[in-house]
Amino acid sequence: MSVSFILCVDNIENMHLKFLFYLVIFYQLSTLSSSTNFGRYDLLANKNDDGITRFFVVGDWGGLPFLPYETPSEVAVAETMGKLGKKLNTSFQLALGDNFYFDGVQSAKDSRFQHTFEHVFSATSLQTPWYVVAGNHDHLGNVSAQIEYGKTSKRWVFPDYFYSFSLWQSDKQKKLIDFVMIDTVILCGGGNLSDWEHTPLEGPKNQYVAEDYWQWIEDQIRQSTAPYLIVSGHYPIYSVAEHGPTKCLIDRLRPLLHQYQATTYLCGHDHNLQHLVDDMNESHLNYFVVGAANFIENSRSHQQDVPPNSLKFFWAGSIVFGGFGLIEVDNTQMNFSFIDRSEKTLYQTSMKPRF
């Protein structure tokens, strides 16, 4: 065999080895690239034996601005969430606004963070991330102070008035849920209103800022690639209770949610628990009002202002009980449950992946 032939064969073999080498490198880089998509505020699903990820939804939980800085309902909800969170190995919480009654906080060192939040939701199982949005009562104070508090807190996640994050499956290779967190006061107005002023929202304080955020919202929703998409704000799109529907959100947010097939919209503002459904252009959407963690208001004064047959559940139980939401999710379905202080499931419904 000639030397030139041997060298030729060696070169072929070397080329083959190089090809395999570069293929391995490409795979590693592509995997690394996939991992770097893991955002700053993203989190991994807890590894439960049944493969289901669980998290809580709580709204309008903001205690009192004077001693004892809490209400019986808030304490009851916190205790039940703590017990249930331990049993179910929950991953995190969504907090839907009106975090501090009646006038928000004034600074990142405001004692209300300790009195109304840290000392109340103190269970070990609740020392997991709290993803927060602002409500109208928070805007009566200094919302930027709540954002600032997130820079020092180990669990208070509130990086901006509007932000997004994702829940990834435990192997960090695939998203399970995309979340879009929005400030409905900036979008629709009402930052100068308490819950007891039933005047129409005057519209955004700054129309140009609001329009920029509307564009951001559409971009986030359009870009979502997860099998479930949850949008959360404070004001309801639809509600049968004392505040009723929010026209601004019906006009602007509802069409986007349907167009991009969002799984659900979560909110508070009305102090009860509600499930409503809505159809548009062959798209089905679920709305959950979760505002019963501090005060309870048994009102259906706007029942005629929502689409016919849209209300599927309403609860405004004992004033000292309170309630909250529990979401359980895997690749095949998402279950939403309303829970009261006795850990009783008041209501449950299921939603399927978008694709």
Side-chain angles (χ1 to χ4, degrees):
M1 185 179 295
S2 69
V3 174
S4 61
F5 181 76
I6 294 173
L7 289 174
C8 182
V9 172
D10 285 344
N11 287 337
I12 291 173
E13 289 178 347
N14 288 338
M15 289 173 60
H16 182 65
L17 289 173
K18 285 181 180 180
F19 174 76
L20 291 177
F21 174 77
Y22 287 127
L23 189 64
V24 170
I25 294 297
F26 174 78
Y27 173 78
Q28 291 176 335
L29 288 174
S30 65
T31 303
L32 180 63
S33 175
S34 174
S35 297
T36 58
N37 289 333
F38 192 84
R40 179 177 179 183
Y41 305 105
D42 291 359
L43 75 166
L44 292 176
N46 281 352
K47 292 183 177 180
N48 292 321
D49 292 339
D50 58 7
I52 297 174
T53 300
R54 297 173 172 89
F55 58 95
F56 292 130
V57 183
V58 60
D60 299 73
W61 51 272
L64 295 168
F66 45 79
L67 285 170
Y69 303 109
E70 61 196 31
T71 65
S73 289
E74 185 198 9
V75 172
V77 164
E79 290 177 350
T80 303
M81 287 173 61
K83 294 175 184 177
L84 200 57
K86 181 178 180 180
K87 292 179 183 177
L88 300 178
N89 191 30
T90 49
S91 295
F92 60 99
Q93 291 70 224
L94 299 181
L96 304 179
D98 282 0
N99 309 315
F100 301 99
Y101 286 105
F102 294 107
D103 300 315
V105 296
Q106 298 307 310
S107 75
K109 296 183 178 180
D110 198 305
S111 62
R112 292 295 305 283
F113 286 110
Q114 296 300 315
H115 293 316
T116 299
F117 175 59
E118 302 288 359
H119 294 169
V120 179
F121 296 93
S122 57
T124 301
S125 65
L126 301 180
Q127 305 305 307
T128 51
W130 285 66
Y131 291 91
V132 182
V133 296
N136 53 299
H137 281 275
D138 301 307
H139 275 275
L140 291 172
N142 183 359
V143 176
S144 63
Q146 294 192 37
I147 294 172
E148 187 70 20
Y149 184 70
K151 297 178 181 179
T152 57
S153 171
K154 294 181 179 179
R155 55 175 172 157
W156 184 270
V157 182
F158 195 2
D160 212 331
Y161 294 89
F162 297 75
Y163 63 100
S164 61
F165 70 99
S166 297
L167 173 69
W168 292 72
Q169 298 185 28
S170 56
D171 61 4
K172 208 174 181 179
Q173 297 301 310
K174 194 175 182 181
K175 289 182 179 182
L176 189 59
I177 310 175
D178 283 330
F179 295 87
V180 179
M181 313 291 281
I182 68 174
D183 191 313
T184 54
V185 174
I186 289 177
L187 296 174
C188 302
N192 60 335
L193 298 177
S194 73
D195 283 344
W196 298 274
E197 297 177 74
H198 300 295
T199 56
L201 298 178
E202 75 281 8
K205 185 176 181 180
N206 188 316
Q207 186 67 48
Y208 296 104
V209 170
E211 287 302 323
D212 284 344
Y213 279 125
W214 279 119
Q215 185 59 58
W216 178 89
I217 290 170
E218 181 169 8
D219 290 343
Q220 296 299 309
I221 295 174
R222 184 183 65 252
Q223 294 166 13
S224 172
T225 59
Y228 303 97
L229 169 62
I230 296 177
V231 180
S232 301
H234 183 64
Y235 291 155
I237 294 178
Y238 287 122
S239 167
V240 302
E242 57 176 327
H243 296 104
T246 307
K247 186 177 185 304
C248 160
L249 299 180
I250 293 174
D251 293 345
R252 299 293 300 271
L253 184 58
R254 175 176 172 264
L256 293 176
L257 298 178
H258 278 289
Q259 179 180 352
Y260 297 108
Q261 297 181 310
T263 306
T264 184
Y265 176 71
L266 307 177
C267 68
H269 199 43
D270 275 331
H271 298 157
N272 34 62
L273 306 175
Q274 303 176 49
H275 176 216
L276 303 99
V277 297
D278 173 41
D279 294 298
M280 174 189 284
N281 299 329
E282 299 183 355
S283 167
H284 184 76
L285 186 62
N286 291 272
Y287 305 93
F288 296 97
V289 179
V290 195
N294 200 68
F295 305 115
I296 310 297
E297 175 66 30
N298 191 1
S299 166
R300 299 196 191 196
S301 57
H302 287 274
Q303 189 149 1
Q304 302 304 313
D305 299 326
V306 302
N309 303 314
S310 61
L311 181 65
K312 301 303 178 184
F313 177 78
F314 178 92
W315 180 90
S318 167
I319 194 170
V320 297
F321 270 27
F324 56 96
L326 168 69
I327 290 181
E328 303 173 282
V329 60
D330 62 15
N331 287 318
T332 60
Q333 71 178 24
M334 174 184 288
N335 291 335
F336 187 103
S337 303
F338 285 122
I339 311 292
D340 73 5
R341 66 160 293 176
S342 67
E343 300 182 29
K344 176 184 176 182
T345 299
L346 301 167
Y347 174 80
Q348 186 178 88
T349 190
S350 297
M351 294 159 280
K352 294 298 181 182
R354 299 187 295 154
F355 37 75

